[in-house]
Amino acid sequence: MSKRAILAVPAAVALTTAVVAGCAGSGGGSHSGSKASSGASSTQRTGPAPAESNPPGDIPDNQVYVAYRPPAGGFTVKVPEGWARSATHATTTFSDKLNKVEIAQASAGTAPTVQSVRAHMVPALRKQAPHFALGGVTTVHRKAGSAIRITYRTDSPPNQVTGKRVRDAVERYVFFHNGRQVVLTLAGPVGADNVDPWRIVSDSLRWQ
């Protein structure tokens, strides 16, 4: 091989290496640019939280329930055993994962009606519950007597870690007995099969 040919080989190798490096750099730049574009296109959600496609909020069939009696007495109601408990003023909340049982009591001069609940409680919920959507207001019968049931959907409070909200289906029962009003609020993700657990809780109220 001539000296000219020997000198040409390193030059060709160097040129090839440069071309490959340039292509790799171009590809990396394009990939990085794609990520930046994706981040720039994200927008803050303003509508209702989406319903989960596979709701994780089903309460197990073997869930055990225990009787809860408020410090002031007057009634007992069954709640799921083992759920976290918190209290503020006259409201006690039991929660687990995405489900919640809230128990509130107050004095009341008259028993609630469908009309009075529509006139007073529903407007208050509409102001307080994010993206409130009313399902209905009806009279139902439970072992403790008649109650007014409100069904509605709302966004859950944001997750403390992720900030994510889920769309909740809520049943609210308003009971009345001898000047005492008890409100049971049962909430869980839209699509979760909690019909039986919510019936157990709402049917367990006993006046004392």
Side-chain angles (χ1 to χ4, degrees):
M1 182 180 293
S2 66
K3 183 181 293 186
R4 178 174 300 175
I6 292 172
L7 293 174
V9 172
V13 172
L15 179 60
T16 302
T17 302
V19 171
V20 171
C23 290
S26 174
S30 174
H31 184 64
S32 175
S34 175
K35 285 185 177 180
S37 174
S38 175
S41 64
S42 63
T43 57
Q44 185 175 1
R45 181 187 60 79
T46 57
E52 297 288 331
S53 57
N54 295 299
D58 287 4
I59 298 173
D61 292 338
N62 61 352
Q63 174 67 56
V64 176
Y65 298 82
V66 294
Y68 165 74
R69 182 178 184 273
F75 68 94
T76 62
V77 63
K78 288 184 178 179
V79 297
E81 184 180 43
W83 285 22
R85 174 180 166 180
S86 60
T88 56
H89 304 296
T91 301
T92 302
T93 302
F94 297 86
S95 59
D96 180 70
K97 300 180 179 69
L98 301 177
N99 295 304
K100 179 177 69 174
V101 174
E102 185 179 275
I103 307 165
Q105 60 178 317
S107 298
T110 58
T113 64
V114 169
Q115 292 73 23
S116 67
V117 167
R118 281 188 175 276
H120 302 290
M121 191 170 287
V122 170
L125 288 171
R126 196 179 299 278
K127 291 180 180 179
Q128 299 166 4
H131 297 109
F132 175 85
L134 179 65
V137 181
T138 58
T139 300
V140 295
H141 300 283
R142 294 294 185 264
K143 291 181 179 178
S146 297
I148 306 300
R149 181 176 68 178
I150 313 167
T151 58
Y152 61 95
R153 293 186 176 188
T154 183
D155 290 353
S156 70
N159 182 284
Q160 294 182 355
V161 178
T162 65
K164 180 182 178 181
R165 295 176 182 264
V166 299
R167 194 69 173 156
D168 275 348
V170 185
E171 297 180 14
R172 174 170 286 205
Y173 295 83
V174 187
F175 292 91
F176 176 85
H177 179 73
N178 289 344
R180 182 188 298 269
Q181 178 174 284
V182 173
V183 179
L184 299 181
T185 303
L186 316 174
V190 168
D193 184 11
N194 289 334
V195 174
D196 291 339
W198 291 162
R199 180 64 187 237
I200 290 172
V201 175
S202 62
D203 217 18
S204 71
L205 182 71
R206 298 290 184 274
W207 300 108
Q208 295 181 335

